[in-house]
Amino acid sequence: METILVVEDKESMAQMLKETLELEGYEIIIARDGAEGIRIIRENKADIVLTDLKLPRKDGIEVLKASKDENPMIPVIVMTAFGSIETAVNAIKTGAYDFITKPLDTDYLLLLIKRALSNRRLVTENLLLKDALSHHLGIPDIVGKSPLMIKVAEDIRKVSQAKTTVLLLGESGTGKELFARAVHDLSPRKEYPFVPINCAAIPRGLLESELFGYEKGAFTGAGEKKLGKFELANRGTLFLDEIGEMDMVLQTKVLRALQEGEIDRVGGTNPVRVDIRIIAASNRDLEAAVADNTFRQDLFYRLSVFPIIIPPLRDRKDDIPVLAEYFISRYAAEMNKSLKDITGDAMDILKNYSWKGNVRELENVIERTMILCEGNTITQKDLRLTLPAASSETILDISMDGTLDEVAKEALRIAESRRIKKALEDTHGNKTRAAEILKVSYKTLLTKIKEYKLEK
Ligand SMILES: Nc1ncnc2c1ncn2[C@@H]1O[C@H](COP(=O)(O)OP(=O)(O)OP(=O)(O)O)[C@@H](O)[C@H]1O
Ligand SMILES: [Mg+2]
């Protein structure tokens, strides 16, 4: 219930207001002069102030000033005698929410009070929203406060200014694409296109012509000349996502484009010059891929001029509360819902949950919760998350929120990790022998042992 402070010296008027407003469900405190009004305001008891202008012992303007001083969020409505509009305007200038003339029109008064209170809620929410968004590390749409994230943001900001090739490494859902866009948006190339291409999503046979385009008649079905992503991104940024999935032949062509600044359209005879900044990303360990001979070492070196490793969420738990609050405010705005609080218990669950899908998974959970949660506070129950028993992880435990690609990778991770565990048990920890059984190189096995944290 909201409390209205009525500062009014005339007894009958004060009583009338008290009765009317109490009927509407407000709690009323009456002050009989300005000084008493100010004292009550300072005790922080009122949600809204309704004050007469002419008052004994400090007038309404002084009450208004004291209230603004104490808490600028509290709306003050001034009551003024009919005809003294000038004083009313003066009150507005001093910060009054609105004024109403006497004799009072109670319907209008109630409307004003309602509007002032809802306005106050809005202002508060905006402040909270601003607060949530202020963790954006100086880069729009990116939030975080962990030292690891602050470092990444710094690197992003610095490297954006040069034409340097950037290699973003991180698990699925850690924000690689978001950061790639940030590099572009902060760069002098921002007026030119940012062209993303996901090398894992395009069938191998089509990737070359997607990247480099083709000439008319280059192959059956090539009816018209088509520009590839390299040319479309000219003067801008080309984002080669999941570059680890690109086959070796194409890798050679990309390397040439990087080194020479030239590409060949499929079926073309003359090379085409392009001015491109490349950002590449991978959630595969490219060094291991180089060791495995599935990724060209020279391309790897060329790409990793400026590698940025985006740590998984489990290594930067400090970011979880700010990310959660950020997503709550974003989805509240998107769904046209009011902002929601989150209980400490619920936040603890978020902090300790094993986020296999990283920030994307956290974002999905918050989105779902914002749909499900009907009250003003998100509780543990609303999250519908259970902390899984990590030890006996099976493929059936995979979170079914991700993309097919993510689910497949997760299944692979669980299967591989269990298989390697068993091979190590079978060989009593003999890694050379285990690698032979698993038919992988020793180096690959080591990488996977590290990746799956199988080291005792
Ligand atoms: N620090 C962050 N602040 C705000 N939002 C973030 C942050 N990191 C990631 N996100 C959000 O998480 C989601 C996943 O990010 P993104 O798609 O960039 O990840 P990714 O690393 O490219 O994932 P994948 O490897 O699966 O392609 C996006 O909606 C992105 O906006
Ligand atoms: Mg991505």
Side-chain angles (χ1 to χ4, degrees):
M1 196 195 311
E2 275 132 334
T3 303
I4 304 177
L5 169 64
V6 175
V7 194
E8 170 63 70
D9 57 328
K10 229 182 264 133
E11 174 71 36
S12 58
M13 184 67 178
Q15 275 314 312
M16 187 280 280
L17 282 168
K18 184 171 158 68
E19 277 160 33
T20 318
L21 296 173
E22 274 177 354
L23 269 179
E24 293 297 316
Y26 297 109
E27 196 161 323
I28 309 302
I29 304 175
I30 292 185
R32 305 299 301 275
D33 60 52
E36 192 187 349
I38 291 173
R39 184 178 54 75
I40 293 166
I41 287 168
R42 297 218 166 110
E43 284 167 6
N44 214 353
K45 283 186 180 152
D47 296 306
I48 180 167
V49 177
L50 181 61
T51 179
D52 197 6
L53 273 181
K54 264 206 222 109
L55 291 164
R57 303 208 298 151
K58 301 200 185 283
D59 63 12
I61 294 290
E62 281 178 279
V63 172
L64 169 63
K65 279 186 185 152
S67 177
K68 289 285 122 184
D69 229 34
E70 183 63 30
N71 180 352
M73 302 285 285
I74 295 178
V76 179
I77 298 175
V78 298
M79 300 180 283
T80 156
F82 181 73
S84 56
I85 292 297
E86 223 169 290
T87 8
V89 170
N90 185 27
I92 300 276
K93 279 191 190 144
T94 316
Y97 173 74
D98 210 336
F99 68 89
I100 183 165
T101 49
K102 288 179 173 176
L104 296 180
D105 171 346
T106 43
D107 284 340
Y108 182 60
L109 177 64
L110 288 173
L111 185 79
L112 266 189
I113 290 173
K114 256 206 195 117
R115 215 198 280 149
L117 286 170
S118 87
N119 182 60
R120 179 187 165 169
R121 272 190 293 269
L122 260 173
V123 172
T124 317
E125 288 186 357
N126 275 336
L127 282 179
L128 288 173
L129 189 67
K130 266 211 192 115
D131 191 44
L133 295 180
S134 69
H135 294 291
H136 62 39
L137 300 166
I139 304 176
D141 300 329
I142 295 182
V143 301
K145 60 180 261 209
S146 64
L148 285 170
M149 235 24 214
I150 291 170
K151 173 79 174 56
V152 169
E154 257 172 38
D155 284 354
I156 296 272
R157 222 171 302 126
K158 279 187 199 145
V159 79
S160 65
Q161 298 313 307
K163 196 187 165 183
T164 318
T165 301
V166 178
L167 178 61
L168 294 164
L169 296 169
E171 288 178 13
S172 172
T174 45
K176 294 184 294 296
E177 177 147 6
L178 183 69
F179 288 102
R181 281 181 196 276
V183 170
H184 174 76
D185 290 342
L186 294 171
S187 80
R189 301 179 161 249
K190 63 170 183 291
E191 305 301 337
Y192 294 95
F194 173 86
V195 178
I197 179 163
N198 184 342
C199 304
I202 293 167
R204 292 206 159 194
L206 294 182
L207 191 54
E208 179 176 1
S209 61
E210 276 296 313
L211 284 173
F212 299 114
Y214 51 77
E215 297 289 352
K216 182 175 173 177
F219 45 82
T220 342
E224 289 299 328
K225 166 175 134 176
K226 188 186 157 180
L227 292 185
K229 304 286 187 198
F230 267 90
E231 279 180 84
L232 292 173
N234 196 25
R235 305 190 69 186
T237 304
L238 179 64
F239 176 46
L240 298 171
D241 203 357
E242 309 280 357
I243 196 163
E245 306 306 313
M246 190 182 280
D247 68 46
M248 303 281 275
V249 180
L250 207 49
Q251 286 174 28
T252 317
K253 296 184 177 171
V254 168
L255 180 63
R256 175 172 128 76
L258 270 166
Q259 273 167 345
E260 320 285 334
E262 275 182 4
I263 57 141
D264 296 300
R265 296 191 191 121
V266 177
T269 41
N270 295 317
V272 183
R273 287 216 66 78
V274 283
D275 168 17
I276 297 277
R277 186 219 201 124
I278 300 275
I279 302 178
S282 174
N283 54 21
R284 249 183 91 188
D285 180 349
L286 287 184
E287 261 172 296
V290 169
D292 266 359
N293 290 320
T294 53
F295 202 83
R296 288 188 63 115
Q297 187 165 39
D298 46 8
L299 179 59
F300 174 69
Y301 286 141
R302 189 64 190 72
L303 290 174
S304 49
V305 183
F306 201 103
I308 296 179
I309 295 168
I310 309 176
L313 211 43
R314 63 178 167 279
D315 291 345
R316 46 183 175 104
K317 288 198 176 358
D318 280 357
D319 288 338
I320 293 176
V322 289
L323 279 167
E325 275 160 23
Y326 169 73
F327 291 132
I328 290 172
S329 28
R330 247 192 38 202
Y331 283 104
E334 222 166 83
M335 297 174 179
N336 236 330
K337 288 186 161 186
S338 64
L339 265 185
K340 293 185 195 301
D341 268 342
I342 176 161
T343 64
D345 284 353
M347 193 61 97
D348 279 347
I349 296 239
L350 293 181
K351 272 201 242 165
N352 294 311
Y353 189 74
S354 93
W355 296 106
K356 294 178 189 135
N358 291 296
V359 184
R360 177 181 299 108
E361 191 186 2
L362 172 65
E363 180 177 351
N364 291 345
V365 166
I366 299 285
E367 181 180 4
R368 177 183 68 201
T369 307
M370 288 299 286
I371 295 170
L372 293 173
C373 172
E374 282 172 343
N376 282 321
T377 307
I378 294 171
T379 65
Q380 212 173 325
K381 214 175 87 224
D382 297 316
L383 295 174
R384 298 199 180 172
L385 287 178
T386 40
L387 299 174
S391 54
S392 59
E393 196 176 43
T394 79
I395 290 173
L396 295 175
D397 292 331
I398 296 174
S399 142
M400 285 299 149
D401 283 321
T403 62
L404 207 51
D405 193 38
E406 285 162 2
V407 173
K409 278 185 186 139
E410 184 60 7
L412 182 69
R413 188 186 71 80
I414 293 172
E416 284 194 350
S417 125
R418 293 185 70 183
R419 180 68 191 94
I420 294 170
K421 218 191 272 175
K422 180 162 179 297
L424 288 172
E425 277 163 18
D426 292 347
T427 60
H428 304 288
N430 183 334
K431 290 176 194 143
T432 313
R433 185 73 200 100
E436 278 168 17
I437 293 174
L438 299 172
K439 288 207 162 51
V440 291
S441 71
Y442 183 71
K443 200 160 172 196
T444 304
L445 181 65
L446 283 192
T447 312
K448 289 193 187 286
I449 288 175
K450 216 170 121 203
E451 188 185 343
Y452 302 147
K453 299 200 164 52
L454 297 173
E455 200 79 82
K456 291 270 148 51

